[in-house]
Amino acid sequence: MADQPGLEEMTKLINAYVAALTPTKLKSFRAIFDYRMIRNDGRVARICQESIVLKTDQQGNILFLLALVSDISHVKRIEKQHLHLTDGAEHLLFEVNKETNECRPVDLLSKRELEILKLLNQSLTSDQIAEKLFISPHTVNTHRQNMIRKMGMSDTSDLLNFLKVYRLI
């Protein structure tokens, strides 16, 4: 596995997060993270793993955990590793520093930014979004550029794909 050190740091964060959850919140726990794997033919695949609690016992211990694994090489073009933790209400996003393998928190998008992204995801133009939200098209485009910069993406398509993979929109 090409991203083993980062995956180890993400595992520590996941374990600490799960340990701090109440039994009620544990039922809504979800962790989504990615890593690179090197295939037998030498090609690199970007893998996304999503872990979801299916069942807990009366003490709040996890009895069944579902892990969904997908090849996201076609949608995630940036080479950074990410981790999204949620208990259904709280959302935390982390990015792995490739030099130190430390996980640093990433600021999530504001409600207004997410609102604009959801409309962009519906293939609405900036003019249509502006009309719907009672703002100017220039404001929509400013939000779009700010979101791309904030999340470290190259364009709106990368941003939308990233947020879909991590179930943030």
Side-chain angles (χ1 to χ4, degrees), residues 110-122 124-144 147:
S110 69
K111 286 182 183 180
R112 182 58 130 190
E113 290 170 332
L114 287 172
E115 187 176 24
I116 290 170
L117 278 171
K118 286 175 185 174
L119 295 170
L120 285 168
N121 193 41
Q122 295 172 15
L124 296 181
T125 66
S126 292
D127 288 338
Q128 291 168 322
I129 293 169
E131 185 176 320
K132 192 171 198 94
L133 299 179
F134 305 104
I135 58 178
S136 76
H138 176 73
T139 302
V140 172
N141 290 328
T142 299
H143 276 300
R144 185 188 309 216
M147 291 182 283

Side-chain angles (χ1 to χ4, degrees), residues 77-78 145 148-149 151-159:
R77 296 187 298 208
I78 60 172
Q145 292 307 312
I148 290 168
R149 187 179 26 55
M151 300 301 289
M153 302 293 154
S154 58
D155 57 33
T156 304
S157 177
D158 276 350
L159 180 61

Side-chain angles (χ1 to χ4, degrees), residues 94-115:
F94 298 90
E95 181 178 284
V96 176
N97 179 317
K98 287 295 188 183
E99 281 106 42
T100 65
N101 292 311
E102 292 176 344
C103 294
R104 71 166 186 81
V106 175
D107 290 334
L108 292 175
L109 300 173
S110 69
K111 286 182 183 180
R112 182 58 130 190
E113 290 170 332
L114 287 172
E115 187 176 24

Side-chain angles (χ1 to χ4, degrees), residues 22-102:
T22 64
T24 304
K25 289 191 173 203
L26 186 60
K27 291 177 182 177
S28 298
F29 166 75
R30 182 178 294 219
I32 303 171
F33 53 95
D34 70 277
Y35 49 89
R36 290 176 299 158
M37 291 189 74
I38 301 171
R39 300 175 192 253
N40 290 339
D41 63 4
R43 291 183 303 137
V44 175
R46 172 75 51 194
I47 304 298
C48 180
Q49 183 171 325
E50 181 172 0
S51 300
I52 305 165
V53 172
L54 293 180
K55 187 174 182 181
T56 59
D57 64 16
Q58 291 178 337
Q59 292 76 36
N61 299 309
I62 298 172
L63 296 177
F64 296 104
L65 185 76
L66 174 65
L68 305 168
V69 179
S70 305
D71 183 340
I72 59 167
S73 302
H74 62 289
V75 294
K76 187 167 183 197
R77 296 187 298 208
I78 60 172
E79 291 299 317
K80 300 173 186 173
Q81 281 179 275
H82 290 90
L83 166 65
H84 174 212
L85 296 172
T86 184
D87 63 6
E90 172 186 51
H91 294 273
L92 302 173
L93 185 63
F94 298 90
E95 181 178 284
V96 176
N97 179 317
K98 287 295 188 183
E99 281 106 42
T100 65
N101 292 311
E102 292 176 344

